[in-house]
Amino acid sequence: MSQRAGGVAADAPSDTAAARGLGPFAATFLVAGNMIGSGVFLLPASLAAIGSASVIGWAVASVGGLVLALVFALLGIMRPDVNGLVRYPADGLHPIFGFVSWISYWVASWVGNVAIAIAAVGYLAVFLPGLIGPVATLVTTLVIIWALVAANLWGPRVVVWLAASTLMVGLIPILAAIGLGVLHFDPDIFWGSWNVSGQPLSKVVPGSLVMIFWAFMGLESASVAAAAVDNPRRNLPIAALGGVALASLVYTTATAAVMGVIPAERLAASTAPFADMVAIAAGPIAGAVVAACALAKTLGTLGGWVLVAAEAGRVGAASGYLPKALSTRGVRATPVRDILLVAVLMSLAALATLSPTLTKQFNALINASVLLILLVYILCALALARFASGIENPARRWVTRLIGLVAAAFCVWMIVASL
């Protein structure tokens, strides 16, 4: 189901593996590059209701993300499978959990797509402020969704070109926030916004984790490195941990930088936090450039994920999880029916989550999407614990089983803490 391919398990470097030529350093950046995207663009505004104490949440989420990345690295080594998010729970636990994993991932994909579209509206509003408002935001969101749907119907090459052409552009807002944030960081603003709610941090921080984990969605792509690294048994865990750690550092630093320049009260009302922060530090023109880059990246990301959601639907139909009449047959054919189904569902989700403010709607969407993905992660982590029984070495068997159980427990804790 996943768009990322698994690798080939090996106990020692083979001739094929040696030819791959990717060591742990290059593979680390591969994993980090797969993670760092548009997910963080609106998060500082969402986290403003918590305050700059959310950096603690970033640290906790990073630890959990590292454990989960290791889970998928080990799964990629032990059982390479392009549809691993469905096959792992089905093979390791029970076939019914394959369905649960698929439906959770599929729904999370198109619900999350609406959140990406909302983020695009927020940055577009830098140039067209009249787009902010429940009805205007809804209409613009629908226009963006159906424009990217039309691009997908035109053909996958259009979507691939859009995603590729905006890949590096998406780094500009994040890097600009980090660079300018270091120069203009105001400790008084940061500490003045430390704990906005006034509630105990023991309650505030756990409650922020699901929201923060929106930026970590896609960490399962760590398993893609298994097909590209030399000696995956040794290097893949290094790449998975290093990649997630690098992405976590970038995310945390960028968020802290924004919160050290914009007070929480003002940040909470922002629809384009990175653009607003850069505008304060370097002027409105620089802010507009950053807004344009963020907008381009969100559109590129959305185009790709519409296709991913459609392909996930096609896999579900082929597996008997969806009526085949709703899906396009033929692996090489453009999944027209699947794309249109996803488009209708995304439109309904945008309408159902209509809120007084853009940030509130964004929060509702990402919370739903992350909770569903966490369920997938739990099932995959438990599957790893079951697969560990096939490891001959007792120490490796118990360590692998412990990693799976700890990762599952962390996800359960995050879900409970969000309630």
Side-chain angles (χ1 to χ4, degrees):
M1 178 185 64
S2 174
Q3 76 278 24
R4 293 112 180 172
V8 178
D11 291 324
S14 63
D15 292 338
T16 301
R20 292 169 183 156
L22 279 185
F25 183 78
T28 293
F29 280 92
L30 174 64
V31 173
N34 285 340
M35 282 189 61
I36 298 173
S38 62
V40 74
F41 284 166
L42 203 55
L43 271 183
S46 300
L47 295 172
I50 297 167
S52 50
S54 59
V55 295
I56 301 176
W58 280 103
V60 175
S62 298
V63 173
L66 290 170
V67 178
L68 282 166
L70 189 55
V71 165
F72 286 101
L74 294 173
L75 286 170
I77 294 170
M78 296 168 62
R79 290 175 176 252
D81 193 329
V82 295
N83 294 321
L85 292 184
V86 170
R87 295 309 318 163
Y88 296 145
D91 295 343
L93 303 174
H94 189 278
I96 188 63
F97 290 115
F99 168 75
V100 172
S101 184
W102 169 80
I103 191 70
S104 298
Y105 183 88
W106 182 60
V107 175
S109 295
W110 50 260
V111 169
N113 285 350
V114 182
I116 297 172
I118 292 291
V121 174
Y123 279 89
L124 183 59
V126 172
F127 308 100
L128 301 170
L131 299 181
I132 300 304
V135 175
T137 296
L138 173 63
V139 171
T140 309
T141 300
L142 293 176
V143 169
I144 289 174
I145 287 173
W146 282 94
L148 272 302
V149 166
N152 273 271
L153 293 174
W154 187 267
R157 289 187 178 182
V158 177
V159 177
V160 170
W161 174 85
L162 182 61
S165 62
T166 60
L167 182 62
M168 297 306 296
V169 169
L171 292 176
I172 294 176
I174 298 173
L175 296 178
I178 294 174
L180 292 172
V182 171
L183 296 175
H184 295 83
F185 188 86
D186 188 336
D188 291 335
I189 292 177
F190 183 84
W191 293 112
S193 302
W194 177 248
N195 187 0
V196 176
S197 67
Q199 297 180 2
L201 290 180
S202 59
K203 180 178 181 180
V204 172
V205 172
S208 70
L209 293 180
V210 167
M211 191 180 302
I212 289 173
F213 228 72
W214 167 252
F216 285 79
M217 285 179 62
L219 59 79
E220 69 275 5
S221 67
S223 61
V224 74
V229 300
D230 181 18
N231 192 2
R233 178 177 290 278
R234 182 195 66 188
N235 292 336
L236 185 55
I238 296 173
L241 295 176
V244 173
L246 179 58
S248 300
L249 178 63
V250 170
Y251 283 145
T252 305
T253 305
T255 304
V258 172
M259 291 185 170
V261 176
I262 306 177
E265 183 177 355
R266 179 178 174 183
L267 184 60
S270 174
T271 65
F274 285 95
D276 289 345
M277 180 269 198
V278 171
I280 292 172
I285 295 178
V289 170
V290 164
C293 292
L295 175 61
K297 177 54 181 171
T298 53
L299 294 177
T301 299
L302 179 58
W305 274 99
V306 168
L307 183 59
V308 168
E311 290 292 351
R314 178 151 64 176
V315 169
S319 303
Y321 300 150
L322 274 178
K324 287 185 170 55
L326 298 177
S327 181
T328 302
R329 297 184 181 182
V331 176
R332 295 184 180 276
T334 300
V336 175
R337 295 181 185 179
D338 309 87
I339 292 171
L340 292 175
L341 175 61
V342 165
V344 171
L345 293 171
M346 287 191 296
S347 300
L348 292 175
L351 181 61
T353 56
L354 186 64
S355 301
T357 65
L358 181 146
T359 301
K360 186 175 181 180
Q361 184 175 13
F362 178 78
N363 291 349
L365 289 162
I366 65 173
N367 284 336
S369 185
V370 172
L371 287 173
L372 289 167
I373 285 294
L374 287 177
L375 178 57
V376 178
Y377 289 169
I378 290 170
L379 295 176
C380 290
L382 292 177
L384 175 66
R386 289 290 300 273
F387 292 148
S389 61
I391 300 176
E392 294 183 3
N393 184 290
R396 288 183 179 177
R397 180 170 63 248
W398 283 105
V399 169
T400 301
R401 185 170 294 156
L402 180 62
I403 290 170
L405 294 176
V406 168
F410 175 78
C411 293
V412 171
W413 175 64
M414 277 201 294
I415 292 174
V416 172
S418 70
L419 301 178

